Amino acid sequence: MRPTVHDIAAEAGVSLATVDRVLNRRPGVKDATRLRVEAAIAAIGFVRDMAAANLAKSRVYPFTFILPAGDNSFMRGLERHVREAMARPAADRVAISLVIVPPFDGAAVARALDAAKVQDPAGIAVVAVDAPEVMDAALRVQASGIPLVTLVSDLGASCRDHFAGIDNHAAGRTAGSLMRRFVGRVPSATETIAVLAGSMLVRDHRDRLEGFRSALSETCTLLPVLEGQDDPAATERLIADLLARHPDVAGIYSLGAGNRGLIAALQRHSGPRPRAVIAHELTPHTRAALEADLIDAVLNQDAGHEVRSAIRVLKAKADGIPAVEAQERIRIDIFLKDNLPFPDEADGKVLRPSGSGSGEN
Amino acid sequence: MRPTVHDIAAEAGVSLATVDRVLNRRPGVKDATRLRVEAAIAAIGFVRDMAAANLAKSRVYPFTFILPAGDNSFMRGLERHVREAMARPAADRVAISLVIVPPFDGAAVARALDAAKVQDPAGIAVVAVDAPEVMDAALRVQASGIPLVTLVSDLGASCRDHFAGIDNHAAGRTAGSLMRRFVGRVPSATETIAVLAGSMLVRDHRDRLEGFRSALSETCTLLPVLEGQDDPAATERLIADLLARHPDVAGIYSLGAGNRGLIAALQRHSGPRPRAVIAHELTPHTRAALEADLIDAVLNQDAGHEVRSAIRVLKAKADGIPAVEAQERIRIDIFLKDNLPFPDEADGKVLRPSGSGSGEN
DNA sequence: CTGTTAGCGCATTCAC
DNA sequence: GTGAATGCGCTAACAG
């Protein structure tokens, strides 16, 4: 049997209450006593049973998550993962309120932040829009002492406590590397590459573009960036036009959403498709396109990981624990047709089992 | 407040004990009563607090892990993750005994299995060697009612309850796809590709080779498979010889271990290196090689995920819960220089935070 | 400053 | 078949 608080108490010759005070760094213990208890803890190698502690505390962490509306598959997947976390409050003693705001609407996000603030939750997670009014609202949240985490899309580092998302510059570089390799090297000829973004107004898209450019450097010729506003219809028109105008385009990098439009355009296109098509986020659409050989690679951020990480960080911040940033880094997954995970996993509909997580998986 | 067993008891007009019997599907309850309790559970939407349940049970799961010795970096990483799990028994009420056996030694694995069996643990996890005596021992373990999980390298499906590892055929296909793309398409010319394996006697290597072949089909010419026995020195000789003999080799796929030898040979080689080099498992060596542009891509299986998954499955089996196979699938990670995770993560030395795991992750 | 006591939500003896 | 009582390891009122 592992040592318990009783064992510490016995070893140190004090009562449970004192042990608890020392354990939780609470005041009201003479230094000498504290030292004795700490010695006892070290001596018998005590490790606190967090499950029991949480049970006794019966503390709940009220968190607010703010997500954009719209039919963006990735965002809806994100929402599903949040709802999943809401559905098992048992596991982590978390009570999440979910707020959906209009997409790409800084004012709406700012209002939602202010509204959340007055509820005084133990923490807020928000898919940020890179606008001044959002930053102001974020600063107000922070000023009121509520931990704030940005999700997927970041704000300035000074306006939030943590960012739960991928390194978008690295993602862009990764896409660039793959593009270079996939397009192939035709000696002494630079290839033409097209980039499709949602909007250069959001930070993650800008970062990806920059990374992509830096990886391709002078290897290829980049056409002017197309902006589809993450809208499938607009995107389809842009891509159809591109394919018509540049039959020789060797690769397309879609760094935003609206991939349904891209896929539709590729499908409708009669000529040979570009040698390399790379997109972001594994959704039912991009998955199908991978399987149908319309897309060659998909870079993905695991929405489930991001949500769970955000929750862990918010809890840590709420408890005043510094939360090891390095451990909460979100990976950039690369998926080809051949290493697609099962639909349930990345894409998924299913809850995790009783155990822990992986992390984690 | 979430409903508790007391609420059920009140709602159904029975005692806690009866509620508990129904909850845990134990006999000794009249059908009519059982129905009433179940109705109450459904009515108030009760969900059992597993943390509290485990606390009350104070059950511990004694598990035995059997791993190969040797200086294989991947295996040592695996061992580190097992030790990590041993170090925090608090989290999952697991008590792991770790047994290290000589590598590639079927007889030793079989002996270790038999030795573990007599301890009567709640489950056994083993990095299998594909040999008849191991299968026999596995069957003996299963016959004695102890759940058995193979880790990383599988045995016949009939000899174990679960396999915690990647789909190696898919991994081979993935490598093949990447190889095809990385080598580039030189119209009307097939390229020469070399495959380096550890040994065709282990199942995962065979599976990878098969997948690789199927993905490349007639696109490339595969040289006869080199077998380095996962030994760096032998591997280095093989590769040096290969590079000398086939200066035109376009790609190398290293599907086993011993990558230090491969890397050393590439480093020493004076001429241009093959256009594409793909290896398995992210270790300090392959990571450094990726960063130094000696290797182009690394396929990886997350050892930490595998260990945690094995534990989850063993616990589920021990409790008689069927364990959702689909949720325990291990992903095939693709790493390029550009999307390398931080050292601590895949490669890592650090423990996870207090929270759950992402996934896991 | 320190100790006593009563739970947190659930499982498990034992009586009835 | 069913119920009352006790405890898992820890925290949080209260007393002292």
Side-chain angles (χ1 to χ4, degrees), chain A residues 75-105:
Chain A
M75 289 303 172
R76 296 287 68 76
L78 196 71
E79 179 181 340
R80 195 178 48 243
H81 281 104
V82 174
R83 291 193 183 284
E84 205 168 284
M86 296 170 72
R88 35 142 207 191
D92 23 26
R93 314 201 98 70
V94 156
I96 297 175
S97 323
L98 180 56
V99 177
I100 306 287
V101 299
F104 298 109
D105 185 343

Side-chain angles (χ1 to χ4, degrees), chain B residues 303-327:
Chain B
H305 280 182
E306 291 176 332
V307 169
R308 290 188 290 271
S309 173
I311 292 173
R312 276 199 301 274
V313 171
L314 283 177
K315 273 170 77 172
K317 300 277 182 196
D319 288 342
I321 303 169
V324 191
E325 293 273 330
Q327 288 180 11

